[in-house]
Amino acid sequence: QVQLQQWGAGLLKPSETLSLSCVVNGESFSSFYWTWLRQPPGQGLEWIGEINHSGSTNYNPSLKGRVTLSIDTSKKQFSLSLISVTAADMAVYYCTRRPLRGGSYNWFDPWGQGTLVTVSS
Amino acid sequence: DIQMTQSPSSLSTSVGDRVTITCRASQSIRSYLNWYQQKPGKAPTLLIYATSVLQNGVPSRFGGSGSGTDFTLSISSLQPEDVATYYCQQSYNFPYTFGQGTKLDI
């Protein structure tokens, strides 16, 4: 059964760069888009973006320009970088995946355990 | 962006109740609608995909229906372990968007 394990710095100062990584245990790495989402405290879920094994990306326009996803297929690992963080970027960040060839039949499963990122001076 | 609106935002229920949560999209999303369950302090888990298909291991008391703009998640007989927040999500186009969540209490 596939598992996603994520890690990264949990406390940042305003203007710093958020960096998180997620490693995939099990199953094919090439059959999915690898995805990041976030959830501000007490709020709903926001899709950040996704990357496939070839490095093709899709980003949420609300974050475009600040977010970069990268992938290392040899390590079955993908990463999120978000520059110039502010208090508005405080959230639990999750990694997950969606099927690569589902057309519009896409869903997120499974999810990483989540990483709380706090932004404070 | 496609806006997803859930109702109610919260619901106080009793064990054994039939529960219905609705999700409305701001435009037609055909049947590209998923439901997730999130328990306190945990990551969301996939409950239903493509409007009505139960993810492996999900109890049969859960069901999904709808198409176009209006969708429903139902729980036929609420169990204590169903206390959670439920989110709908559209996969029709980018950016993928979620409803604001429906919190179930017992």
Side-chain angles (χ1 to χ4, degrees):
Chain A
Q1 184 173 347
V2 65
Q3 291 185 326
L4 279 67
Q5 184 74 26
Q6 58 183 101
W7 68 93
L11 180 59
L12 298 173
K13 291 182 169 58
S15 80
E16 290 186 335
T17 296
L18 180 157
S19 293
L20 299 174
S21 294
C22 186
V23 66
V24 181
N25 296 317
E27 288 199 22
S28 169
F29 199 62
S30 60
S31 301
F32 299 92
Y33 265 98
W34 302 96
T35 302
W36 290 95
L37 302 103
R38 68 181 183 178
Q39 184 173 36
Q43 297 186 38
L45 294 151
E46 180 182 28
W47 177 79
I48 296 172
E50 61 183 20
I51 186 167
N52 70 8
H53 65 287
S54 301
S56 177
T57 56
N58 295 296
Y59 295 121
N60 192 322
S62 68
L63 294 169
K64 204 166 185 179
R66 292 204 297 136
V67 64
T68 302
L69 302 189
S70 58
I71 196 164
D72 185 335
T73 55
S74 66
K75 295 181 180 178
K76 287 191 172 181
Q77 184 175 312
F78 60 106
S79 301
L80 164 68
S81 176
L82 181 68
I83 65 172
S84 305
V85 298
T86 70
D89 295 311
M90 282 183 52
V92 176
Y93 286 73
Y94 294 102
C95 60
T96 182
R97 68 176 187 179
R98 73 156 176 97
L100 182 67
R101 301 191 189 284
S104 289
Y105 283 117
N106 292 301
W107 51 87
F108 302 121
D109 179 71
W111 298 52
Q113 79 276 19
T115 301
L116 175 61
V117 174
T118 302
V119 179
S120 175
S121 56
Chain B
D1 299 2
I2 297 176
Q3 306 301 314
M4 306 299 292
T5 304
Q6 289 181 232
S7 61
S9 296
S10 63
L11 187 58
S12 185
T13 59
S14 299
V15 173
D17 280 358
R18 178 176 180 84
V19 172
T20 299
I21 298 169
T22 64
C23 177
R24 175 164 289 177
S26 60
Q27 67 179 73
S28 175
I29 57 170
R30 299 174 65 179
S31 61
Y32 303 124
L33 190 281
N34 308 312
W35 290 96
Y36 301 86
Q37 178 190 64
Q38 185 176 33
K39 296 187 177 180
K42 300 293 187 182
T45 58
L46 178 67
L47 207 58
I48 291 172
Y49 61 92
T51 298
S52 60
V53 182
L54 265 61
Q55 172 67 333
N56 290 341
V58 172
S60 59
R61 62 180 179 273
F62 288 91
S65 63
S67 67
T69 60
D70 294 314
F71 300 85
T72 298
L73 171 68
S74 60
I75 309 173
S76 60
S77 178
L78 192 78
Q79 298 303 302
E81 60 267 31
D82 300 335
V83 169
T85 300
Y86 293 84
Y87 294 94
C88 61
Q89 174 246 328
Q90 65 82 16
S91 62
Y92 181 72
N93 63 12
F94 295 126
Y96 297 139
T97 49
F98 292 79
Q100 80 281 12
T102 296
K103 185 176 181 181
L104 289 190
D105 289 318
I106 291 182

